[in-house]
Amino acid sequence: MDIQATLERLSGLQGPSGYEHPVAEAAVELMRPLLDEANVDRFGNAVGVRLCGKPGAPRLLLDAHLDEVGLMVTGIEEGFLRFRTVGGVDPRMLPDRELTVLTDPPLFGVVACLPPHVLKAGDMRKSVPVPELRVDIGLTQEQAEQAVPIGTPMVYREEPVLLRNGRFSGKSMDDRACFTVLLRTAELLRDKPLDVDLYLLGSTREEVSGAGAKVGTYGIHPDFCVAVDVTHAKAPDTGSGRQAKLGGGPQIGMGPNMTRWMTRRMLEKARELGIPHDVEVMEGHTGTNGWHMQTVREGIATSVVSLPLRYMHSPVETLALEDLESTAALLAAFAQGLGKEAERT
C-alpha cells in the first residue's frame, strides 16, 4: 500500500460533516481488498470486518472519522454567498481562501476580503467575524440563486502537497490520515493470525456531534475499541508546553476515560517493538470519538491513539508520513493476541 497516494486520494475528496458519502464510498473501496467485507451503513459510516474464524470471538473496533470541517450557505446578497461554519472553523483562516462550493457541478469560490490599501487603522490586526464574510463565485444575484441552493456545503480547496523530509500538508488530514492508518493496519495484519474479529469504522459527523461513531459502535457491539485521531504537534507558535513531535510516533492517551489495561498494552507493545511513541495525558474529555464510544451499550473498553498534526482545522494541516507507519505498526501489534490477553483481565 502506498500511504502517500492513499492519503492524497482521501484528502482530495470533499466530505464535510453530514456530507461524507464520496469519502465513505472511497473508504469502502479501499477496505475491500484487505478485509472480508466492507459496506456503507445506513448512517453513512464506512464499515469493514475481518473475521478470525473463531466462533464467538471478541470484537476489536478501530475508528477514524471521515468528515472534515466546512461551511454552509445561508443566503445570497448581490451574488455573494453568506455562510455559517460546520465544525471548528477559525475565522482568521477564511479571508481570501479558495473554496469548493458543493453544487452539481461544483463551483469555485473565494472568500472576499478587503485589500490592505483600503483597510482602516488597526483593522489588519482584527479577525473578521463570520457573519460579515461573503463568498464570491463570480455570479449575479439571479445566477447565484439558480446555481446555489440555501444549505449548500463548502470546503477548503487546497490540494495536498509533499514537503521536505516526508512532511505532508493539505486539508482534511484530520482525520483521513488516521483512516489511512487503519487501512495500513489491516494490510500489516492480512497474513497474521488473529483471535479477535477486526472491525474498521470510518465514522461520520465527528466534527459536529460524534453521532457516526455512536451509531456505528452500537451496531458493531465491540468488546474493545480504539479511537484514532489527530493531536496538536509542536509548531513555532504553540508555546513551551508539552506538545507532540512530528516524527515522534503515535501519542498514547492516558487518563480516566481510557481503559487502563488497554493503555498499558499499547505502551508495552510500543516498547517491545521499539516503536517511537509518547504519552498524551488526557485528564477529561479526549476530544475524540473515544469519548462517545466508551459509553455505548453497557460500556466498552476504550483506548485513544493520536497522530501528531500541525495547524489543525486549517487547509494546510501538516504531518509526518513516518508517523502513519509507526501508528499502524502499533495498532497491528496491539491487535495480535488481544483475545487471549483480554481473557485474563
Side-chain angles (χ1 to χ4, degrees):
M1 170 182 160
D2 186 327
I3 284 181
Q4 181 181 332
T6 302
L7 186 52
E8 285 177 348
R9 177 181 177 185
L10 291 173
S11 171
L13 297 171
Q14 293 83 35
S17 301
Y19 298 86
E20 304 94 342
H21 188 72
V23 192
E25 290 288 350
V28 165
E29 182 182 335
L30 290 165
M31 283 192 287
R32 281 180 174 153
L34 303 170
L35 303 172
D36 296 326
E37 183 180 335
N39 292 287
V40 177
D41 70 13
R42 68 174 63 183
F43 207 75
N45 299 309
V47 184
V49 59
R50 175 191 159 183
L51 301 173
C52 70
K54 176 183 175 182
R59 298 179 178 187
L60 169 63
L61 171 61
L62 306 180
D63 165 81
H65 68 88
L66 299 177
D67 57 318
E68 61 188 296
V69 297
L71 310 169
M72 182 168 285
V73 176
T74 60
I76 304 173
E77 294 178 355
E78 299 180 350
F80 295 87
L81 309 181
R82 296 198 312 269
F83 61 88
R84 293 179 186 168
T85 59
V86 177
V89 176
D90 187 342
R92 297 175 304 164
M93 303 287 178
L94 293 175
D96 76 14
R97 185 64 60 195
E98 296 181 357
L99 302 175
T100 300
V101 184
L102 299 181
T103 49
D104 186 15
L107 294 172
F108 175 86
V110 293
V111 182
C113 63
L114 287 173
H117 314 70
V118 297
L119 289 174
K120 297 178 181 178
D123 283 349
M124 293 183 69
R125 295 190 296 271
K126 296 179 181 178
S127 173
V128 182
V130 168
E132 297 179 16
L133 293 170
R134 300 290 184 269
V135 176
D136 189 347
I137 54 175
L139 300 181
T140 66
Q141 178 71 15
E142 182 179 359
Q143 290 170 332
E145 289 175 350
Q146 293 176 351
V148 185
I150 302 301
T152 298
M154 302 181 287
V155 294
Y156 296 135
R157 187 175 178 271
E158 273 72 2
E159 296 293 325
V161 61
L162 181 65
L163 306 177
R164 296 294 183 92
N165 296 319
R167 277 32 177 175
F168 192 79
S169 180
K171 74 170 187 66
S172 63
M173 300 294 111
D174 174 12
D175 193 30
R176 294 179 201 157
C178 291
F179 189 78
T180 302
V181 167
L182 302 194
L183 294 170
R184 177 58 176 154
T185 301
E187 183 178 55
L188 291 173
L189 292 171
R190 186 159 46 182
D191 299 321
K192 306 290 185 182
L194 295 177
D195 59 359
V196 295
D197 292 338
L198 175 66
Y199 286 81
L200 303 190
L201 177 65
S203 55
T204 58
R205 309 187 205 181
E206 189 271 349
E207 299 292 359
V208 294
S209 66
K214 297 175 193 175
V215 172
T217 304
Y218 189 95
I220 293 168
H221 198 178
D223 297 275
F224 341 94
C225 61
V226 182
V228 189
D229 209 330
V230 295
T231 190
H232 301 288
K234 183 70 175 176
D237 59 351
T238 54
S240 58
R242 183 180 177 87
Q243 300 282 338
K245 177 185 176 183
L246 286 192
Q251 307 294 291
I252 298 171
M254 180 179 291
N257 289 289
M258 278 69 74
T259 303
R260 284 183 298 232
W261 71 262
M262 291 183 70
T263 301
R264 184 179 65 251
R265 180 177 172 85
M266 287 285 184
L267 291 168
E268 289 173 351
K269 292 299 180 182
R271 292 166 185 154
E272 287 172 11
L273 298 174
I275 297 171
H277 67 283
D278 203 351
V279 170
E280 181 174 15
V281 175
M282 296 176 160
E283 72 282 359
H285 196 318
T286 64
T288 72
N289 278 334
W291 179 258
H292 309 291
M293 296 159 72
Q294 64 177 328
T295 58
V296 169
R297 292 186 180 263
E298 66 271 24
I300 299 169
T302 302
S303 180
V304 175
V305 174
S306 302
L307 184 76
L309 183 78
R310 289 177 181 159
Y311 324 128
M312 195 181 300
H313 284 198
S314 81
V316 290
E317 295 175 329
T318 301
L319 49 75
L321 292 174
E322 64 198 88
D323 286 337
L324 277 71
E325 188 68 46
S326 56
T327 304
L330 175 61
L331 294 174
F334 178 85
Q336 296 176 72
L338 177 60
K340 182 181 293 185
E341 175 161 338
E343 292 175 0
R344 301 195 298 266
T345 61

